Every structure is written in structure tokens, then in C-alpha cells.
Amino acid sequence: MQHSLAFLALVNAAKAAIKEMDIAALQQRSTPYVLIDTREDHEWQQGHLPGAMHLGKGIIERDIEQTVQDKQQVIILYCGGGYRSALAAQALQQMGYQQVYSLAGGYRAWKEQGLPIELP
């Protein structure tokens, strides 16, 4: 997908303010975390990472406090390529969540590595 320069600038500013995690680090993680897919509904329906829950970018800020009450909980967000999840991670940090990560490369990188996916 070809992204606009303004969108990429917004994402790059968000990435400078948040933490990213790569797939290898996610796979090695032993402490509990909440995995959230921030993609659109139709993307979720085509498959998602095992154990993920769905809170799309359009509603995550509205619904996160009902889903994850503990603002110290580790939250790992992903989207298609790591852009929308970076924006969502920045928003959650602004809401007081302390341990939010965006998955670098997102769902696309996960699939490219041939890792398992779940269907709804």
C-alpha cells in the first residue's frame, strides 16, 4: 500500500514516542500480556494472530478501559504493517497505559514468516 507523506510523518512521530517489539521478542516473551489486533473488522475476519483480541483502531480508545483496566498491564498491539498500531500505542500511552508496544511489521510480517494464524 502506498501511504501519503503526511500519514507517514504522523506514524514516524508516533514511533519516536512509543516502544516497538519485533516478532522474535514477542515469541520469547514469558510474562503475561494482552495481544490486541487493531485492524478493521474485515481484516480480522481473514485471520489474526493466535490469542489476539480485536479492538479496531476506530474504537480502541473508547473501549480499552473496559477491556484492560490495569494500566500497568503489558499490551502488544498490531495491525497490518505496524503503522496503525503505532498510532494506537501512542494514544494508549496518552491515556495512561505504561507498557504498550506496537508489533513491528504487524500481521503482514507474521504471515511472511509462515507463523500460525487463527480464523474467527
mmCIF file of all heavy atoms in Angstrom, residues 75-104:
data_model
loop_
_atom_site.group_PDB
_atom_site.id
_atom_site.type_symbol
_atom_site.label_atom_id
_atom_site.label_comp_id
_atom_site.label_asym_id
_atom_site.label_seq_id
_atom_site.Cartn_x
_atom_site.Cartn_y
_atom_site.Cartn_z
ATOM 1 N N ILE A 75 0.613 -4.521 27.049
ATOM 2 C CA ILE A 75 -0.292 -4.595 25.916
ATOM 3 C C ILE A 75 0.546 -4.550 24.646
ATOM 4 O O ILE A 75 1.376 -3.656 24.478
ATOM 5 C CB ILE A 75 -1.295 -3.417 25.907
ATOM 6 C CG1 ILE A 75 -2.125 -3.403 27.197
ATOM 7 C CG2 ILE A 75 -2.186 -3.480 24.677
ATOM 8 C CD1 ILE A 75 -2.995 -2.168 27.349
ATOM 9 N N ILE A 76 0.320 -5.513 23.765
ATOM 10 C CA ILE A 76 1.018 -5.551 22.481
ATOM 11 C C ILE A 76 -0.033 -5.388 21.394
ATOM 12 O O ILE A 76 -0.973 -6.183 21.311
ATOM 13 C CB ILE A 76 1.816 -6.857 22.305
ATOM 14 C CG1 ILE A 76 2.815 -7.003 23.462
ATOM 15 C CG2 ILE A 76 2.524 -6.868 20.943
ATOM 16 C CD1 ILE A 76 3.458 -8.357 23.565
ATOM 17 N N LEU A 77 0.112 -4.342 20.605
ATOM 18 C CA LEU A 77 -0.825 -4.023 19.540
ATOM 19 C C LEU A 77 -0.221 -4.389 18.198
ATOM 20 O O LEU A 77 0.988 -4.276 18.006
ATOM 21 C CB LEU A 77 -1.131 -2.521 19.537
ATOM 22 C CG LEU A 77 -1.583 -1.883 20.838
ATOM 23 C CD1 LEU A 77 -1.701 -0.375 20.673
ATOM 24 C CD2 LEU A 77 -2.899 -2.472 21.289
ATOM 25 N N TYR A 78 -1.058 -4.808 17.267
ATOM 26 C CA TYR A 78 -0.579 -4.994 15.903
ATOM 27 C C TYR A 78 -1.671 -4.615 14.927
ATOM 28 O O TYR A 78 -2.859 -4.585 15.255
ATOM 29 C CB TYR A 78 -0.079 -6.426 15.660
ATOM 30 C CG TYR A 78 -1.160 -7.468 15.558
ATOM 31 C CD1 TYR A 78 -1.732 -7.793 14.322
ATOM 32 C CD2 TYR A 78 -1.624 -8.137 16.681
ATOM 33 C CE1 TYR A 78 -2.727 -8.757 14.226
ATOM 34 C CE2 TYR A 78 -2.610 -9.097 16.589
ATOM 35 C CZ TYR A 78 -3.159 -9.395 15.361
ATOM 36 O OH TYR A 78 -4.149 -10.336 15.260
ATOM 37 N N CYS A 79 -1.240 -4.314 13.715
ATOM 38 C CA CYS A 79 -2.147 -4.025 12.604
ATOM 39 C C CYS A 79 -1.569 -4.729 11.385
ATOM 40 O O CYS A 79 -0.836 -5.691 11.531
ATOM 41 C CB CYS A 79 -2.290 -2.507 12.402
ATOM 42 S SG CYS A 79 -0.749 -1.691 11.953
ATOM 43 N N GLY A 80 -1.856 -4.224 10.209
ATOM 44 C CA GLY A 80 -1.365 -4.873 9.004
ATOM 45 C C GLY A 80 0.141 -4.769 8.836
ATOM 46 O O GLY A 80 0.796 -5.733 8.467
ATOM 47 N N GLY A 81 0.691 -3.595 9.105
ATOM 48 C CA GLY A 81 2.116 -3.393 8.881
ATOM 49 C C GLY A 81 2.851 -2.647 9.976
ATOM 50 O O GLY A 81 4.033 -2.354 9.839
ATOM 51 N N GLY A 82 2.175 -2.296 11.047
ATOM 52 C CA GLY A 82 2.824 -1.623 12.168
ATOM 53 C C GLY A 82 2.612 -0.121 12.209
ATOM 54 O O GLY A 82 3.190 0.556 13.061
ATOM 55 N N TYR A 83 1.790 0.409 11.330
ATOM 56 C CA TYR A 83 1.541 1.853 11.307
ATOM 57 C C TYR A 83 0.381 2.238 12.224
ATOM 58 O O TYR A 83 0.516 3.061 13.128
ATOM 59 C CB TYR A 83 1.245 2.334 9.887
ATOM 60 C CG TYR A 83 2.380 2.117 8.912
ATOM 61 C CD1 TYR A 83 2.146 1.549 7.663
ATOM 62 C CD2 TYR A 83 3.683 2.467 9.226
ATOM 63 C CE1 TYR A 83 3.177 1.361 6.761
ATOM 64 C CE2 TYR A 83 4.720 2.269 8.328
ATOM 65 C CZ TYR A 83 4.453 1.719 7.097
ATOM 66 O OH TYR A 83 5.476 1.523 6.196
ATOM 67 N N ARG A 84 -0.778 1.655 11.986
ATOM 68 C CA ARG A 84 -1.949 1.974 12.818
ATOM 69 C C ARG A 84 -1.724 1.566 14.265
ATOM 70 O O ARG A 84 -2.168 2.256 15.190
ATOM 71 C CB ARG A 84 -3.203 1.282 12.265
ATOM 72 C CG ARG A 84 -3.661 1.840 10.939
ATOM 73 C CD ARG A 84 -4.758 1.002 10.319
ATOM 74 N NE ARG A 84 -4.216 -0.265 9.832
ATOM 75 C CZ ARG A 84 -4.931 -1.255 9.326
ATOM 76 N NH1 ARG A 84 -6.256 -1.147 9.256
ATOM 77 N NH2 ARG A 84 -4.369 -2.356 8.888
ATOM 78 N N SER A 85 -1.023 0.465 14.477
ATOM 79 C CA SER A 85 -0.764 0.043 15.855
ATOM 80 C C SER A 85 0.167 1.016 16.564
ATOM 81 O O SER A 85 0.048 1.219 17.771
ATOM 82 C CB SER A 85 -0.198 -1.379 15.897
ATOM 83 O OG SER A 85 1.000 -1.491 15.162
ATOM 84 N N ALA A 86 1.066 1.649 15.840
ATOM 85 C CA ALA A 86 1.933 2.673 16.449
ATOM 86 C C ALA A 86 1.094 3.871 16.880
ATOM 87 O O ALA A 86 1.276 4.415 17.979
ATOM 88 C CB ALA A 86 3.021 3.106 15.471
ATOM 89 N N LEU A 87 0.159 4.280 16.031
ATOM 90 C CA LEU A 87 -0.721 5.393 16.385
ATOM 91 C C LEU A 87 -1.590 5.035 17.584
ATOM 92 O O LEU A 87 -1.785 5.855 18.493
ATOM 93 C CB LEU A 87 -1.583 5.788 15.184
ATOM 94 C CG LEU A 87 -0.828 6.338 13.972
ATOM 95 C CD1 LEU A 87 -1.770 6.499 12.785
ATOM 96 C CD2 LEU A 87 -0.131 7.645 14.308
ATOM 97 N N ALA A 88 -2.104 3.819 17.605
ATOM 98 C CA ALA A 88 -2.933 3.378 18.728
ATOM 99 C C ALA A 88 -2.103 3.285 20.009
ATOM 100 O O ALA A 88 -2.580 3.649 21.090
ATOM 101 C CB ALA A 88 -3.582 2.037 18.411
ATOM 102 N N ALA A 89 -0.868 2.818 19.906
ATOM 103 C CA ALA A 89 0.009 2.724 21.085
ATOM 104 C C ALA A 89 0.250 4.110 21.677
ATOM 105 O O ALA A 89 0.227 4.287 22.895
ATOM 106 C CB ALA A 89 1.336 2.062 20.708
ATOM 107 N N GLN A 90 0.465 5.081 20.814
ATOM 108 C CA GLN A 90 0.668 6.441 21.299
ATOM 109 C C GLN A 90 -0.582 6.946 22.031
ATOM 110 O O GLN A 90 -0.481 7.544 23.098
ATOM 111 C CB GLN A 90 1.028 7.370 20.145
ATOM 112 C CG GLN A 90 1.356 8.778 20.596
ATOM 113 C CD GLN A 90 1.741 9.674 19.436
ATOM 114 O OE1 GLN A 90 1.167 9.587 18.355
ATOM 115 N NE2 GLN A 90 2.719 10.524 19.670
ATOM 116 N N ALA A 91 -1.743 6.675 21.483
ATOM 117 C CA ALA A 91 -2.992 7.107 22.124
ATOM 118 C C ALA A 91 -3.159 6.432 23.490
ATOM 119 O O ALA A 91 -3.535 7.099 24.470
ATOM 120 C CB ALA A 91 -4.180 6.798 21.220
ATOM 121 N N LEU A 92 -2.860 5.133 23.581
ATOM 122 C CA LEU A 92 -2.999 4.437 24.859
ATOM 123 C C LEU A 92 -2.016 4.965 25.886
ATOM 124 O O LEU A 92 -2.351 5.093 27.065
ATOM 125 C CB LEU A 92 -2.847 2.930 24.685
ATOM 126 C CG LEU A 92 -3.914 2.225 23.846
ATOM 127 C CD1 LEU A 92 -3.764 0.715 23.944
ATOM 128 C CD2 LEU A 92 -5.312 2.652 24.205
ATOM 129 N N GLN A 93 -0.815 5.289 25.457
ATOM 130 C CA GLN A 93 0.149 5.906 26.368
ATOM 131 C C GLN A 93 -0.403 7.230 26.886
ATOM 132 O O GLN A 93 -0.282 7.533 28.077
ATOM 133 C CB GLN A 93 1.488 6.152 25.657
ATOM 134 C CG GLN A 93 2.334 4.932 25.523
ATOM 135 C CD GLN A 93 3.680 5.197 24.880
ATOM 136 O OE1 GLN A 93 4.415 4.266 24.636
ATOM 137 N NE2 GLN A 93 4.031 6.431 24.594
ATOM 138 N N GLN A 94 -1.002 8.009 26.022
ATOM 139 C CA GLN A 94 -1.578 9.285 26.438
ATOM 140 C C GLN A 94 -2.734 9.080 27.415
ATOM 141 O O GLN A 94 -3.043 9.967 28.207
ATOM 142 C CB GLN A 94 -2.034 10.087 25.216
ATOM 143 C CG GLN A 94 -0.879 10.579 24.377
ATOM 144 C CD GLN A 94 -1.302 11.172 23.043
ATOM 145 O OE1 GLN A 94 -2.424 10.972 22.579
ATOM 146 N NE2 GLN A 94 -0.386 11.877 22.413
ATOM 147 N N MET A 95 -3.359 7.913 27.369
ATOM 148 C CA MET A 95 -4.451 7.582 28.290
ATOM 149 C C MET A 95 -3.931 7.000 29.606
ATOM 150 O O MET A 95 -4.718 6.656 30.476
ATOM 151 C CB MET A 95 -5.412 6.595 27.628
ATOM 152 C CG MET A 95 -6.162 7.181 26.451
ATOM 153 S SD MET A 95 -7.202 5.956 25.600
ATOM 154 C CE MET A 95 -8.481 5.676 26.844
ATOM 155 N N GLY A 96 -2.619 6.867 29.745
ATOM 156 C CA GLY A 96 -2.027 6.406 30.993
ATOM 157 C C GLY A 96 -1.537 4.979 31.020
ATOM 158 O O GLY A 96 -1.024 4.516 32.039
ATOM 159 N N TYR A 97 -1.647 4.254 29.914
ATOM 160 C CA TYR A 97 -1.124 2.892 29.863
ATOM 161 C C TYR A 97 0.399 2.956 29.785
ATOM 162 O O TYR A 97 0.961 3.676 28.965
ATOM 163 C CB TYR A 97 -1.729 2.107 28.697
ATOM 164 C CG TYR A 97 -3.175 1.747 28.975
ATOM 165 C CD1 TYR A 97 -4.201 2.615 28.640
ATOM 166 C CD2 TYR A 97 -3.483 0.564 29.636
ATOM 167 C CE1 TYR A 97 -5.527 2.300 28.941
ATOM 168 C CE2 TYR A 97 -4.804 0.241 29.944
ATOM 169 C CZ TYR A 97 -5.811 1.122 29.586
ATOM 170 O OH TYR A 97 -7.117 0.813 29.900
ATOM 171 N N GLN A 98 1.064 2.206 30.671
ATOM 172 C CA GLN A 98 2.505 2.328 30.859
ATOM 173 C C GLN A 98 3.352 1.380 30.015
ATOM 174 O O GLN A 98 4.512 1.679 29.746
ATOM 175 C CB GLN A 98 2.844 2.083 32.339
ATOM 176 C CG GLN A 98 2.090 2.967 33.298
ATOM 177 C CD GLN A 98 2.629 4.383 33.317
ATOM 178 O OE1 GLN A 98 3.832 4.563 33.342
ATOM 179 N NE2 GLN A 98 1.747 5.362 33.299
ATOM 180 N N GLN A 99 2.785 0.235 29.637
ATOM 181 C CA GLN A 99 3.585 -0.801 28.970
ATOM 182 C C GLN A 99 2.918 -1.232 27.674
ATOM 183 O O GLN A 99 2.479 -2.370 27.535
ATOM 184 C CB GLN A 99 3.772 -1.994 29.909
ATOM 185 C CG GLN A 99 4.512 -1.634 31.188
ATOM 186 C CD GLN A 99 4.882 -2.863 31.961
ATOM 187 O OE1 GLN A 99 5.739 -3.637 31.529
ATOM 188 N NE2 GLN A 99 4.234 -3.067 33.100
ATOM 189 N N VAL A 100 2.878 -0.325 26.732
ATOM 190 C CA VAL A 100 2.245 -0.573 25.445
ATOM 191 C C VAL A 100 3.327 -0.707 24.383
ATOM 192 O O VAL A 100 4.255 0.095 24.329
ATOM 193 C CB VAL A 100 1.285 0.575 25.063
ATOM 194 C CG1 VAL A 100 0.585 0.274 23.747
ATOM 195 C CG2 VAL A 100 0.278 0.822 26.166
ATOM 196 N N TYR A 101 3.184 -1.703 23.529
ATOM 197 C CA TYR A 101 4.119 -1.943 22.435
ATOM 198 C C TYR A 101 3.352 -2.075 21.121
ATOM 199 O O TYR A 101 2.230 -2.562 21.107
ATOM 200 C CB TYR A 101 4.888 -3.255 22.646
ATOM 201 C CG TYR A 101 5.749 -3.279 23.872
ATOM 202 C CD1 TYR A 101 5.205 -3.621 25.110
ATOM 203 C CD2 TYR A 101 7.096 -2.960 23.811
ATOM 204 C CE1 TYR A 101 5.980 -3.639 26.249
ATOM 205 C CE2 TYR A 101 7.886 -2.986 24.950
ATOM 206 C CZ TYR A 101 7.325 -3.322 26.167
ATOM 207 O OH TYR A 101 8.098 -3.341 27.291
ATOM 208 N N SER A 102 3.996 -1.681 20.056
ATOM 209 C CA SER A 102 3.482 -1.912 18.708
ATOM 210 C C SER A 102 4.344 -3.007 18.084
ATOM 211 O O SER A 102 5.576 -2.959 18.174
ATOM 212 C CB SER A 102 3.566 -0.633 17.882
ATOM 213 O OG SER A 102 3.198 -0.873 16.541
ATOM 214 N N LEU A 103 3.708 -3.984 17.471
ATOM 215 C CA LEU A 103 4.440 -5.086 16.847
ATOM 216 C C LEU A 103 4.987 -4.636 15.498
ATOM 217 O O LEU A 103 4.224 -4.348 14.570
ATOM 218 C CB LEU A 103 3.534 -6.304 16.678
ATOM 219 C CG LEU A 103 4.199 -7.561 16.132
ATOM 220 C CD1 LEU A 103 5.272 -8.072 17.093
ATOM 221 C CD2 LEU A 103 3.160 -8.641 15.869
ATOM 222 N N ALA A 104 6.292 -4.551 15.401
ATOM 223 C CA ALA A 104 6.950 -4.120 14.171
ATOM 224 C C ALA A 104 6.615 -5.086 13.036
ATOM 225 O O ALA A 104 6.725 -6.302 13.192
ATOM 226 C CB ALA A 104 8.462 -4.040 14.376
#
